[in-house]
Amino acid sequence: MGSEQGTDQRGGPELDPTRPHPARRYNYWLGGKDNFQADRDAGDAIAGVFPHIRTAARENRAFMQRAVRHLAREAGIRQFLDIGTGLPTADNVHDVAQGIAPESRIVYVDNDPLVLSHARALLTSSDEGATAYIDADVREPRKILADPAVRDTLDWSRPIALQLVAIMHFVEDHEDPYGIVSQLVSALPAGSYLVLSHATFDPLDPETIAAMNAINEGIKPRFSPRTLAEVTPFFNGLELLDPGIVSVSDWRPEPGPRPTAAEATGYGAVARIP
């Protein structure tokens, strides 16, 4: 086993099984077992008005894996900062990256205590590479960037891929989502990359949107899907890779049939930081 940086448990929130959490709800939609009844109830409520939610979850994860694969193979990226990691499943970032380049180094960031309790599965690394996990919220970019595990695991003189996959739609407008992304991006070396996916209601019919908004009123953290015009500013000043900001299903897809934009309900893109 490769390097295992110490798991940071300072100030982590207590586990409350009575309140749904996005990471556990996502785990449920992906068919995982690391969730509670509150997560399943919330997940089922959303599935009741949007039956394609499990497809959307799978497509989002597949986008992440394709993006990591591209960056590792084609762009030579060997370092990944994955914020909003979620619960460990098959083919996590380090599995994909180190499968291509064993020397890859990965730092995972999440704020769910259950993810923290399973972090050891995320800390499995090749002998040549390294992995680390810290407990932090994307709304705390300064804390993330200053964390010793982040500073020590990653070489900040070399390019880093910042992964914000299905996380920024849990940051509301008043919490300055664009400022958060800008602060994280501006800290990265030139030649780094931003990988971002974001939920959207753009392709949905008005009835489904109304039903989703009604459910959203009772969800914490509040879910903030954004339009293409609202997702685009996350990439301001960056060099978008082809095919740009598209449905996650349409970003450099594998051959064969794939879900429609209305089934995937998410935008995804990869951009280079000049």
PDB file of all heavy atoms in Angstrom, residues 215-231:
ATOM      1  N   ILE A 215     -40.298  19.920  -3.802  1.00  0.00           N
ATOM      2  CA  ILE A 215     -39.523  19.031  -2.935  1.00  0.00           C
ATOM      3  C   ILE A 215     -38.298  19.753  -2.386  1.00  0.00           C
ATOM      4  O   ILE A 215     -37.920  19.588  -1.228  1.00  0.00           O
ATOM      5  CB  ILE A 215     -39.109  17.765  -3.710  1.00  0.00           C
ATOM      6  CG1 ILE A 215     -40.323  16.886  -3.971  1.00  0.00           C
ATOM      7  CG2 ILE A 215     -38.044  16.977  -2.957  1.00  0.00           C
ATOM      8  CD1 ILE A 215     -40.030  15.651  -4.777  1.00  0.00           C
ATOM      9  N   ASN A 216     -37.716  20.587  -3.216  1.00  0.00           N
ATOM     10  CA  ASN A 216     -36.497  21.293  -2.831  1.00  0.00           C
ATOM     11  C   ASN A 216     -36.702  22.192  -1.619  1.00  0.00           C
ATOM     12  O   ASN A 216     -35.765  22.469  -0.864  1.00  0.00           O
ATOM     13  CB  ASN A 216     -35.996  22.125  -4.014  1.00  0.00           C
ATOM     14  CG  ASN A 216     -34.565  22.587  -3.835  1.00  0.00           C
ATOM     15  OD1 ASN A 216     -33.773  21.962  -3.151  1.00  0.00           O
ATOM     16  ND2 ASN A 216     -34.230  23.704  -4.469  1.00  0.00           N
ATOM     17  N   GLU A 217     -37.929  22.647  -1.403  1.00  0.00           N
ATOM     18  CA  GLU A 217     -38.207  23.521  -0.267  1.00  0.00           C
ATOM     19  C   GLU A 217     -37.888  22.845   1.058  1.00  0.00           C
ATOM     20  O   GLU A 217     -37.557  23.501   2.039  1.00  0.00           O
ATOM     21  CB  GLU A 217     -39.671  23.955  -0.287  1.00  0.00           C
ATOM     22  CG  GLU A 217     -40.022  24.914  -1.415  1.00  0.00           C
ATOM     23  CD  GLU A 217     -39.204  26.192  -1.355  1.00  0.00           C
ATOM     24  OE1 GLU A 217     -39.020  26.730  -0.244  1.00  0.00           O
ATOM     25  OE2 GLU A 217     -38.746  26.646  -2.418  1.00  0.00           O
ATOM     26  N   GLY A 218     -37.978  21.513   1.084  1.00  0.00           N
ATOM     27  CA  GLY A 218     -37.736  20.811   2.346  1.00  0.00           C
ATOM     28  C   GLY A 218     -36.378  20.162   2.446  1.00  0.00           C
ATOM     29  O   GLY A 218     -36.111  19.415   3.395  1.00  0.00           O
ATOM     30  N   ILE A 219     -35.492  20.409   1.483  1.00  0.00           N
ATOM     31  CA  ILE A 219     -34.179  19.760   1.460  1.00  0.00           C
ATOM     32  C   ILE A 219     -33.118  20.703   2.021  1.00  0.00           C
ATOM     33  O   ILE A 219     -33.066  21.869   1.665  1.00  0.00           O
ATOM     34  CB  ILE A 219     -33.811  19.336   0.028  1.00  0.00           C
ATOM     35  CG1 ILE A 219     -34.739  18.225  -0.460  1.00  0.00           C
ATOM     36  CG2 ILE A 219     -32.358  18.882  -0.045  1.00  0.00           C
ATOM     37  CD1 ILE A 219     -34.463  17.793  -1.877  1.00  0.00           C
ATOM     38  N   LYS A 220     -32.292  20.169   2.890  1.00  0.00           N
ATOM     39  CA  LYS A 220     -31.127  20.892   3.404  1.00  0.00           C
ATOM     40  C   LYS A 220     -29.906  19.985   3.241  1.00  0.00           C
ATOM     41  O   LYS A 220     -29.956  18.828   3.652  1.00  0.00           O
ATOM     42  CB  LYS A 220     -31.318  21.264   4.879  1.00  0.00           C
ATOM     43  CG  LYS A 220     -32.467  22.209   5.147  1.00  0.00           C
ATOM     44  CD  LYS A 220     -32.248  23.568   4.521  1.00  0.00           C
ATOM     45  CE  LYS A 220     -33.419  24.503   4.814  1.00  0.00           C
ATOM     46  NZ  LYS A 220     -33.224  25.823   4.179  1.00  0.00           N
ATOM     47  N   PRO A 221     -28.782  20.458   2.650  1.00  0.00           N
ATOM     48  CA  PRO A 221     -28.647  21.790   2.077  1.00  0.00           C
ATOM     49  C   PRO A 221     -29.525  21.959   0.848  1.00  0.00           C
ATOM     50  O   PRO A 221     -29.784  21.003   0.126  1.00  0.00           O
ATOM     51  CB  PRO A 221     -27.166  21.867   1.717  1.00  0.00           C
ATOM     52  CG  PRO A 221     -26.771  20.450   1.478  1.00  0.00           C
ATOM     53  CD  PRO A 221     -27.566  19.650   2.451  1.00  0.00           C
ATOM     54  N   ARG A 222     -29.949  23.181   0.650  1.00  0.00           N
ATOM     55  CA  ARG A 222     -30.847  23.476  -0.454  1.00  0.00           C
ATOM     56  C   ARG A 222     -30.145  23.219  -1.783  1.00  0.00           C
ATOM     57  O   ARG A 222     -28.963  23.484  -1.956  1.00  0.00           O
ATOM     58  CB  ARG A 222     -31.307  24.925  -0.365  1.00  0.00           C
ATOM     59  CG  ARG A 222     -32.362  25.289  -1.407  1.00  0.00           C
ATOM     60  CD  ARG A 222     -32.841  26.719  -1.209  1.00  0.00           C
ATOM     61  NE  ARG A 222     -33.733  27.112  -2.279  1.00  0.00           N
ATOM     62  CZ  ARG A 222     -35.034  26.817  -2.313  1.00  0.00           C
ATOM     63  NH1 ARG A 222     -35.558  26.140  -1.311  1.00  0.00           N
ATOM     64  NH2 ARG A 222     -35.787  27.196  -3.320  1.00  0.00           N
ATOM     65  N   PHE A 223     -30.907  22.693  -2.705  1.00  0.00           N
ATOM     66  CA  PHE A 223     -30.414  22.318  -4.022  1.00  0.00           C
ATOM     67  C   PHE A 223     -30.606  23.498  -4.967  1.00  0.00           C
ATOM     68  O   PHE A 223     -31.702  24.049  -5.061  1.00  0.00           O
ATOM     69  CB  PHE A 223     -31.206  21.089  -4.477  1.00  0.00           C
ATOM     70  CG  PHE A 223     -30.836  20.544  -5.810  1.00  0.00           C
ATOM     71  CD1 PHE A 223     -29.576  20.026  -6.045  1.00  0.00           C
ATOM     72  CD2 PHE A 223     -31.770  20.505  -6.840  1.00  0.00           C
ATOM     73  CE1 PHE A 223     -29.244  19.491  -7.273  1.00  0.00           C
ATOM     74  CE2 PHE A 223     -31.452  19.969  -8.071  1.00  0.00           C
ATOM     75  CZ  PHE A 223     -30.180  19.466  -8.284  1.00  0.00           C
ATOM     76  N   SER A 224     -29.557  23.903  -5.660  1.00  0.00           N
ATOM     77  CA  SER A 224     -29.612  25.079  -6.530  1.00  0.00           C
ATOM     78  C   SER A 224     -29.190  24.726  -7.945  1.00  0.00           C
ATOM     79  O   SER A 224     -28.049  24.990  -8.358  1.00  0.00           O
ATOM     80  CB  SER A 224     -28.712  26.193  -5.980  1.00  0.00           C
ATOM     81  OG  SER A 224     -29.139  26.618  -4.705  1.00  0.00           O
ATOM     82  N   PRO A 225     -30.083  24.112  -8.729  1.00  0.00           N
ATOM     83  CA  PRO A 225     -29.746  23.861 -10.129  1.00  0.00           C
ATOM     84  C   PRO A 225     -29.564  25.187 -10.855  1.00  0.00           C
ATOM     85  O   PRO A 225     -30.175  26.196 -10.490  1.00  0.00           O
ATOM     86  CB  PRO A 225     -30.960  23.097 -10.654  1.00  0.00           C
ATOM     87  CG  PRO A 225     -32.085  23.533  -9.769  1.00  0.00           C
ATOM     88  CD  PRO A 225     -31.480  23.751  -8.420  1.00  0.00           C
ATOM     89  N   ARG A 226     -28.718  25.192 -11.888  1.00  0.00           N
ATOM     90  CA  ARG A 226     -28.460  26.440 -12.600  1.00  0.00           C
ATOM     91  C   ARG A 226     -28.577  26.234 -14.104  1.00  0.00           C
ATOM     92  O   ARG A 226     -28.401  25.130 -14.616  1.00  0.00           O
ATOM     93  CB  ARG A 226     -27.078  26.996 -12.216  1.00  0.00           C
ATOM     94  CG  ARG A 226     -27.008  27.422 -10.749  1.00  0.00           C
ATOM     95  CD  ARG A 226     -25.704  28.129 -10.373  1.00  0.00           C
ATOM     96  NE  ARG A 226     -25.848  28.738  -9.044  1.00  0.00           N
ATOM     97  CZ  ARG A 226     -25.464  28.154  -7.897  1.00  0.00           C
ATOM     98  NH1 ARG A 226     -24.897  26.954  -7.930  1.00  0.00           N
ATOM     99  NH2 ARG A 226     -25.657  28.763  -6.743  1.00  0.00           N
ATOM    100  N   THR A 227     -28.882  27.316 -14.784  1.00  0.00           N
ATOM    101  CA  THR A 227     -28.996  27.301 -16.233  1.00  0.00           C
ATOM    102  C   THR A 227     -27.601  27.290 -16.861  1.00  0.00           C
ATOM    103  O   THR A 227     -26.591  27.525 -16.181  1.00  0.00           O
ATOM    104  CB  THR A 227     -29.752  28.529 -16.726  1.00  0.00           C
ATOM    105  OG1 THR A 227     -28.963  29.706 -16.420  1.00  0.00           O
ATOM    106  CG2 THR A 227     -31.118  28.653 -16.045  1.00  0.00           C
ATOM    107  N   LEU A 228     -27.561  27.068 -18.168  1.00  0.00           N
ATOM    108  CA  LEU A 228     -26.277  27.120 -18.867  1.00  0.00           C
ATOM    109  C   LEU A 228     -25.627  28.490 -18.697  1.00  0.00           C
ATOM    110  O   LEU A 228     -24.413  28.586 -18.486  1.00  0.00           O
ATOM    111  CB  LEU A 228     -26.486  26.810 -20.354  1.00  0.00           C
ATOM    112  CG  LEU A 228     -25.240  26.874 -21.235  1.00  0.00           C
ATOM    113  CD1 LEU A 228     -24.179  25.899 -20.763  1.00  0.00           C
ATOM    114  CD2 LEU A 228     -25.616  26.606 -22.697  1.00  0.00           C
ATOM    115  N   ALA A 229     -26.445  29.539 -18.763  1.00  0.00           N
ATOM    116  CA  ALA A 229     -25.906  30.890 -18.601  1.00  0.00           C
ATOM    117  C   ALA A 229     -25.333  31.097 -17.205  1.00  0.00           C
ATOM    118  O   ALA A 229     -24.408  31.901 -17.014  1.00  0.00           O
ATOM    119  CB  ALA A 229     -26.994  31.923 -18.883  1.00  0.00           C
ATOM    120  N   GLU A 230     -25.864  30.378 -16.222  1.00  0.00           N
ATOM    121  CA  GLU A 230     -25.376  30.514 -14.846  1.00  0.00           C
ATOM    122  C   GLU A 230     -24.193  29.597 -14.564  1.00  0.00           C
ATOM    123  O   GLU A 230     -23.380  29.881 -13.678  1.00  0.00           O
ATOM    124  CB  GLU A 230     -26.510  30.222 -13.867  1.00  0.00           C
ATOM    125  CG  GLU A 230     -27.610  31.269 -13.888  1.00  0.00           C
ATOM    126  CD  GLU A 230     -28.853  30.835 -13.126  1.00  0.00           C
ATOM    127  OE1 GLU A 230     -29.154  29.612 -13.105  1.00  0.00           O
ATOM    128  OE2 GLU A 230     -29.540  31.722 -12.569  1.00  0.00           O
ATOM    129  N   VAL A 231     -24.087  28.507 -15.296  1.00  0.00           N
ATOM    130  CA  VAL A 231     -22.949  27.597 -15.113  1.00  0.00           C
ATOM    131  C   VAL A 231     -21.708  28.150 -15.810  1.00  0.00           C
ATOM    132  O   VAL A 231     -20.579  28.002 -15.309  1.00  0.00           O
ATOM    133  CB  VAL A 231     -23.296  26.192 -15.647  1.00  0.00           C
ATOM    134  CG1 VAL A 231     -22.057  25.284 -15.679  1.00  0.00           C
ATOM    135  CG2 VAL A 231     -24.382  25.546 -14.785  1.00  0.00           C
TER     136      VAL A 231
END
